[in-house]
């Protein structure tokens, strides 16, 4: 890169910057980009900074519809990450390592078949995870800070959810597991829960204490107003005692 008496030049990671000289010394401008190596079928060159390939706005990083086949390296101050409509096949433990400010991850409509069991456990601020429309058969362990989990339209079956997976999520508001292969309601569910969507699974029965405490008839679950069980082979009229603590009867077949 040419330079004159007033300008120096600096090249780092293949990027050259001109910097003004002061007293004959060059000022060094640090580069703090994260670098991404995209899919070979994508239109971008290896080594492109993530925030040039994706769109970074404040703490939000948008990498939608870029033909990515892996999670890009993210800036450490990322709070919201969107990588929808890509070709990502796997989530590794290292993909979100040390992302202490990350609150929302949205990986809608990728080709994910597996997620490392501890990929999300090290995220102290994570509240929302959207992994709908993938090919996941096992829901990984999640931190207790969750408020929204959407794993609809996957391949999660009867062994795909950990025992008491949601019990200690005292801030969980929305749990969406529509269009999977689940054959039971994943109890116990925290009292904070407002919305439970389990449409089009294979749930065939419900116990009287699935939602209510049959030993305490004063127990009321005012928050849980939205329960969807339609599209399951279950007759809700067979367990009327299961709804006595609820503000509304679940949506589903009553015949």
């Amino acid at each position: 890169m040419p330079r004159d008496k007033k300008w120096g030049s600096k090249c780092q990671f293949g990027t050259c910057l001109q910097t003004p000289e002061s007293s004959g010394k060059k000022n060094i401008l640090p580069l703090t980009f994260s670098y991404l190596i995209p899919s070979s079928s994508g239109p971008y060159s290896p080594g492109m900074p993530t925030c040039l390939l994706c769109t970074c706005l404040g703490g939000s990083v948008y990498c939608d519809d870029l033909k990515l086949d892996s999670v890009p390296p993210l800036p450490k101050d990322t709070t919201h990450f969107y990588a929808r409509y890509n070709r990502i096949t796997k989530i590794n433990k290292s993909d979100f390592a040390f992302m202490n400010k990350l609150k929302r991850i949205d990986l809608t409509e990728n080709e994910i078949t597996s997620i490392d069991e501890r990929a999300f456990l090290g995220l102290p601020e994570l509240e929302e995870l959207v992994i709908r429309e993938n090919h996941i058969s096992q829901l990984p362990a999640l931190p207790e800070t969750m408020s929204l989990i959407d794993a609809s339209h996957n391949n999660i079956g009867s062994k795909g959810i950990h025992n008491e997976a949601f019990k200690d999520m005292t801030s969980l508001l929305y749990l969406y597991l529509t269009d999977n292969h689940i054959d039971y309601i994943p109890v116990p569910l925290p009292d904070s829960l407002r919305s439970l969507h389990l449409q089009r699974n294979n749930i065939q029965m419900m116990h009287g204490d699935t939602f209510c405490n049959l030993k305490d008839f004063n127990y009321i679950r005012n928050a849980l107003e939205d329960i969807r069980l339609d599209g399951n082979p279950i007759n809700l009229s067979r367990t009327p005692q299961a709804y006595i603590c609820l503000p509304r009867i679940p949506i589903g077949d009553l015949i």
Side-chain angles (χ1 to χ4, degrees), residues 20-83:
E21 294 184 353
S22 176
S23 303
K25 296 182 180 180
K26 290 181 287 186
N27 294 329
I28 305 301
L29 299 181
L31 296 182
T32 58
F33 294 125
S34 297
Y35 283 80
L36 169 67
I37 299 177
S39 168
S40 59
S41 60
Y44 301 97
S45 301
M48 179 176 286
T50 299
C51 286
L52 291 182
L53 174 65
C54 304
T55 300
C56 298
L57 296 172
S60 298
V61 178
Y62 299 88
C63 299
D64 295 338
D65 201 12
L66 292 176
K67 299 181 180 179
L68 304 180
D69 57 15
S70 62
V71 175
L74 300 173
K76 294 302 180 185
D77 61 350
T78 301
T79 58
H80 296 72
F81 173 57
Y82 302 86

Side-chain angles (χ1 to χ4, degrees), residues 178 197-201 227-234 236 250-253:
T178 301
H197 287 190
L198 293 166
Q199 304 99 294
R200 295 178 294 279
N201 277 282
I227 302 175
R228 295 285 302 274
L229 291 167
D230 39 316
N232 284 276
I234 183 174
L236 299 182
I251 297 174
D253 293 335

Side-chain angles (χ1 to χ4, degrees), residues 232 234-240 243 249-255:
N232 284 276
I234 183 174
N235 185 344
L236 299 182
S237 65
R238 294 180 179 177
T239 53
Y243 323 125
I249 296 175
I251 297 174
D253 293 335
L254 297 172
I255 298 176

Side-chain angles (χ1 to χ4, degrees), residues 126-172:
L126 187 65
E127 297 176 359
E128 302 179 1
L129 175 66
V130 182
I131 48 176
R132 59 182 297 120
E133 298 176 65
N134 280 281
H135 310 291
I136 300 163
S137 59
Q138 178 74 45
L139 190 66
L142 296 171
E144 297 176 1
T145 52
M146 302 303 300
S147 65
L148 180 149
I149 301 168
D150 188 350
S152 299
H153 298 272
N154 276 286
N155 298 320
I156 301 172
S158 57
K159 296 182 180 180
I161 301 176
H162 292 293
N163 185 43
E164 299 187 344
F166 312 110
K167 178 182 178 181
D168 296 322
M169 297 182 184
T170 55
S171 297
L172 185 62

Side-chain angles (χ1 to χ4, degrees), residues 62-244:
Y62 299 88
C63 299
D64 295 338
D65 201 12
L66 292 176
K67 299 181 180 179
L68 304 180
D69 57 15
S70 62
V71 175
L74 300 173
K76 294 302 180 185
D77 61 350
T78 301
T79 58
H80 296 72
F81 173 57
Y82 302 86
R84 299 164 290 195
Y85 322 119
N86 283 291
R87 301 173 180 175
I88 299 170
T89 59
K90 184 179 181 181
I91 303 300
N92 300 300
K93 181 180 179 181
S94 59
D95 288 341
F96 299 106
F98 309 112
M99 302 299 296
N100 294 331
K101 297 182 179 181
L102 196 56
K103 295 183 177 182
R104 180 182 175 94
I105 299 172
D106 192 339
L107 297 166
T108 296
E109 200 171 329
N110 276 271
E111 299 174 8
I112 302 170
T113 57
S114 66
I115 300 177
D116 188 284
E117 175 61 24
R118 301 186 64 82
F120 304 120
L121 281 182
L123 303 177
E125 299 293 326
L126 187 65
E127 297 176 359
E128 302 179 1
L129 175 66
V130 182
I131 48 176
R132 59 182 297 120
E133 298 176 65
N134 280 281
H135 310 291
I136 300 163
S137 59
Q138 178 74 45
L139 190 66
L142 296 171
E144 297 176 1
T145 52
M146 302 303 300
S147 65
L148 180 149
I149 301 168
D150 188 350
S152 299
H153 298 272
N154 276 286
N155 298 320
I156 301 172
S158 57
K159 296 182 180 180
I161 301 176
H162 292 293
N163 185 43
E164 299 187 344
F166 312 110
K167 178 182 178 181
D168 296 322
M169 297 182 184
T170 55
S171 297
L172 185 62
L173 301 176
Y174 308 101
L175 179 58
Y176 302 141
L177 297 169
T178 301
D179 289 282
N180 278 284
H181 307 294
I182 301 167
D183 60 9
Y184 65 95
I185 297 174
V187 294
L189 298 167
D191 286 344
S192 59
L193 195 65
R194 295 180 183 177
S195 183
L196 174 65
H197 287 190
L198 293 166
Q199 304 99 294
R200 295 178 294 279
N201 277 282
N202 191 37
I203 299 170
Q204 302 180 35
M205 63 179 297
M206 183 188 308
H207 299 289
D209 59 354
T210 295
F211 301 113
C212 303
N213 184 351
L214 298 183
K215 296 181 180 179
D216 182 4
F217 291 101
N218 292 318
Y219 174 71
I220 302 295
R221 295 194 68 146
N222 289 321
L224 190 53
E225 296 185 339
D226 177 25
I227 302 175
R228 295 285 302 274
L229 291 167
D230 39 316
N232 284 276
I234 183 174
N235 185 344
L236 299 182
S237 65
R238 294 180 179 177
T239 53
Q241 71 277 14
Y243 323 125
I244 58 175

